[in-house]
Amino acid sequence: MNKLGQRLEADGLLSAERFEEAAARAKESRRPLPDVLRDDSYVAEGPLLSALGKVYGLQVVDLDDDTPVDQSAVRSIPPRLATHYCAMPMKLEDGVITLAVSSLSDMAVVDDLETNLGLRVDRVLATRAGIQRAIRRHYGVGAGTVERILGEDRPGEASHMETSHDLELMAEDASVVRLVNQILQDAIRDRATDIHLESYRDEMLCRRRIDGVLQETSLPRSIRQLYPAMVSRIKLMSGLDIVERRLPQDGRARVNMGREEFDLRVSIVPAVHGEDIVIRVLPTRSMLNLGDLGFSGAHRAELEKYIAMPHGIVFVTGPTGSGKSTTLYACLNRLNTRDHKIITIEDPVEYEVRGVTQTQVNPKIGLTFARALRSMLRHDPDVMMVGEVRDRETADIAVQTAMTGHLVLSTLHTNDAAGAAVRLMDMGVDPYLITSTVLVFIAQRLVRVICPECREAVREAGITRYRGAGCKTCGRSGYFGRAAVAEFLPMLPAIAGLIMGKASAREIRAKADELGMQTLLQDGLRKVEDGITTEQEVFRVIVA
């Protein structure tokens, strides 16, 4: 057994028998032994690097956001080499460049870099994932691919391509396909729900919405030359017309990442310097249950009570991005049993749910919410989900559906629960029908949850509060994931009386306060007390 095996055994990481087994596997597969130990799960990467560092006298570094990186070292190595060899330049001093590597097995890498750079290479060890994150952070996502494309005897060509034929050829080029895939994969890996690609006179921006907040992503500046080809590639993926650049277009595509499949909803609009793209990222299957949403125990019990009713309407209200559809899908998953016939009418269908009949509206052919809802009643449903009530016709049919013995789940765009009843009256729905069918109005928002990996207590004015210090897990934001804050306005007699009298939203809100109903802000501050989120986050989402 060599020195590495002895070190692993001394550290209690791997027995001599297991080490010999790994050595035999490495010889048989002609792979470097450290790679076999790591990739075949004999030893976790972190402890393995520590052992390698002790054996070979090398430093092990943690490539987080605070690790100092010499920008002159970054500039000295082209991004394609850094990406190809998975080597992150750290320091350049006196003709010696320090590289963070995850493997010591291939000395040809050192020889190649020393020959190409004319520098002596010194190595430190870091995890492969850490090196890849550092490369993306300091070079930009897809930098190696961009450099490779622009270096293949067509510098600047992409920026001047105007014909659809050239753009289509470029869009199908393997390197452009790889570049678009890298941007998508990086966004999905970072839990982005939306990807914004924006074109300006001399640059391209990529921003991703993570936990509800837009964050800019580092990209190589030269990627602007490839932007027309990238737009065409995304159009081809989503079944859109690559020739049409003057009108907005909407499409869909599906991508796989590992074992997960994602649905991409693509929207393209013409802008001053090209076309801007927004891609909504959705998992194709929703397995959310009510316990995953972050509702308080009392609110969850109340919601389960209402969706167990045989008939009536449950309205979830809030602005775009407040998690209304997610809540309705969690309700559907709770109700989705063999003794329930469930039908949904959506625009668009966001998640596929096995056992549920899902219909997507298509106004171009006359398939509106109202028309689909009217037809679906003939399919003997127990539960119906209407993606959104946006006009009187849809509202009237939803009310009639509830009155004839069906449970209806739907959404409204209002700021709070009290405003939902007034919104229905503004649409022309009779107050009597509202009070007879609506079970509850629920207003909700999504607040970011304090990252569990870096959560710390802070004492302020004699009160203990919690915050996220920022770590690799949460991308230094201090938050990881989101939870719902909500207010419930059930159709109690006092509330029904005000609606019958066509009271204003302010009057309904005042009566709800008088009855002791918890507001959005109160629910948010309760989550602050429980250490789930921060006061700043609650005020950002609810008061701002």
Side-chain angles (χ1 to χ4, degrees), residues 140-263:
V141 177
T145 304
V146 170
E147 185 185 44
R148 190 181 307 113
I149 296 172
L150 296 180
E152 290 175 354
D153 65 43
R154 51 183 179 210
E157 178 185 332
S159 63
H160 302 294
M161 288 191 301
E162 294 294 338
T163 69
S164 60
H165 177 68
D166 287 340
L167 280 174
E168 185 165 8
L169 288 176
M170 188 68 172
E172 292 176 340
D173 184 284
S175 296
V176 173
V177 171
R178 188 182 307 114
L179 177 59
V180 171
N181 288 348
Q182 285 174 337
I183 291 174
L184 294 175
Q185 289 169 358
D186 188 68
I188 293 171
R189 188 185 301 112
D190 288 343
R191 303 178 298 110
T193 54
D194 299 86
I195 307 167
H196 296 243
L197 302 176
E198 302 163 353
S199 173
Y200 298 95
R201 183 182 300 277
D202 57 355
E203 66 176 335
M204 167 195 164
L205 292 184
C206 176
R207 297 188 289 172
R208 293 102 55 90
R209 193 174 295 280
I210 300 173
D211 291 334
V213 177
L214 273 177
Q215 302 175 14
E216 188 171 339
T217 302
S218 174
L219 292 175
R221 194 171 186 84
S222 55
I223 198 172
R224 177 65 183 86
Q225 299 179 56
L226 299 172
Y227 188 68
M230 292 170 61
V231 173
S232 294
R233 170 59 191 164
I234 293 170
K235 285 182 177 180
L236 288 176
M237 287 174 61
S238 47
L240 301 178
D241 183 358
I242 69 167
V243 178
E244 181 54 73
R245 303 173 206 164
R246 301 165 301 171
L247 297 173
Q249 296 190 71
D250 295 310
R252 300 180 73 161
R254 279 202 177 171
V255 297
N256 291 298
M257 187 169 173
R259 295 183 178 181
E260 290 190 79
E261 190 176 42
F262 295 88
D263 191 15

Side-chain angles (χ1 to χ4, degrees), residues 456-471:
E456 62 180 17
V458 180
R459 192 81 174 165
E460 296 176 356
I463 301 174
T464 300
R465 291 285 186 259
Y466 295 89
R467 69 179 183 188
C471 63

Side-chain angles (χ1 to χ4, degrees), residues 45 63 86 102 126-134 136:
E45 187 176 22
L63 281 177
C86 193
S102 63
T127 64
R128 184 165 45 184
I131 292 171
Q132 290 170 344
R133 281 196 302 270
R136 290 197 298 271

Side-chain angles (χ1 to χ4, degrees), residues 334-535:
R334 178 71 178 81
L335 295 169
N336 189 14
T337 58
R338 291 185 179 275
D339 59 345
H340 278 100
K341 171 72 172 182
I342 303 176
I343 297 176
T344 74
I345 304 164
E346 307 171 62
D347 182 23
V349 173
E350 293 195 3
Y351 305 103
E352 292 181 11
V353 183
R354 187 175 183 274
V356 175
T357 301
Q358 296 175 271
T359 300
Q360 181 165 313
V361 300
N362 187 349
K364 292 180 181 178
I365 61 172
L367 183 59
T368 61
F369 275 110
R371 183 170 180 180
L373 184 54
R374 191 181 297 110
S375 299
M376 292 306 172
L377 286 175
R378 305 188 189 103
H379 280 249
D380 187 30
D382 296 297
V383 180
M384 296 196 68
M385 184 181 95
V386 182
E388 181 186 350
V389 170
R390 58 179 67 163
D391 54 49
R392 178 173 180 175
E393 187 179 11
T394 306
D396 283 341
I397 299 173
V399 165
Q400 294 298 327
T401 301
M403 292 188 71
T404 53
H406 303 84
L407 178 67
V408 179
L409 309 177
S410 191
T411 69
L412 280 169
H413 279 281
T414 61
N415 287 328
D416 60 10
V422 176
R423 172 80 175 122
L424 289 174
M425 287 188 283
D426 288 344
M427 287 183 188
V429 181
D430 192 307
Y432 168 75
L433 295 177
I434 298 173
T435 59
S436 300
T437 57
V438 174
L439 300 171
V440 63
F441 294 110
I442 304 169
Q444 75 171 55
R445 301 289 190 277
L446 295 176
V447 294
R448 292 182 292 173
V449 174
I450 297 171
C451 174
E453 297 295 324
C454 59
R455 184 172 178 264
E456 62 180 17
V458 180
R459 192 81 174 165
E460 296 176 356
I463 301 174
T464 300
R465 291 285 186 259
Y466 295 89
R467 69 179 183 188
C471 63
K472 288 184 290 187
T473 300
C474 61
R476 300 288 158 188
S477 69
Y479 299 96
F480 189 92
R482 289 189 289 176
V485 293
E487 62 183 24
F488 280 58
L489 182 66
M491 193 57 68
L492 298 177
I495 301 298
L498 288 175
I499 294 173
M500 289 295 291
K502 296 187 177 181
S504 67
R506 185 185 299 273
E507 292 171 312
I508 296 173
R509 173 80 270 164
K511 177 58 69 173
D513 292 342
E514 184 183 318
L515 294 171
M517 295 176 192
Q518 193 177 60
T519 66
L520 281 167
L521 182 58
Q522 289 168 338
D523 188 35
L525 294 178
R526 176 64 59 85
K527 284 183 166 58
V528 173
E529 293 175 7
D530 293 340
I532 296 171
T533 189
T534 64
E535 196 172 76

Side-chain angles (χ1 to χ4, degrees), residues 239-300:
L240 301 178
D241 183 358
I242 69 167
V243 178
E244 181 54 73
R245 303 173 206 164
R246 301 165 301 171
L247 297 173
Q249 296 190 71
D250 295 310
R252 300 180 73 161
R254 279 202 177 171
V255 297
N256 291 298
M257 187 169 173
R259 295 183 178 181
E260 290 190 79
E261 190 176 42
F262 295 88
D263 191 15
L264 307 181
R265 284 163 42 190
V266 179
S267 178
I268 301 179
V269 297
V272 175
H273 297 291
E275 294 172 282
D276 285 2
I277 302 174
V278 175
I279 303 173
R280 170 67 59 88
V281 181
L282 296 164
T284 55
R285 294 190 179 276
S286 169
M287 300 304 291
L288 284 175
N289 59 59
L290 293 176
D292 296 327
L293 303 180
F295 283 121
S296 66
H299 279 162
R300 178 182 170 185

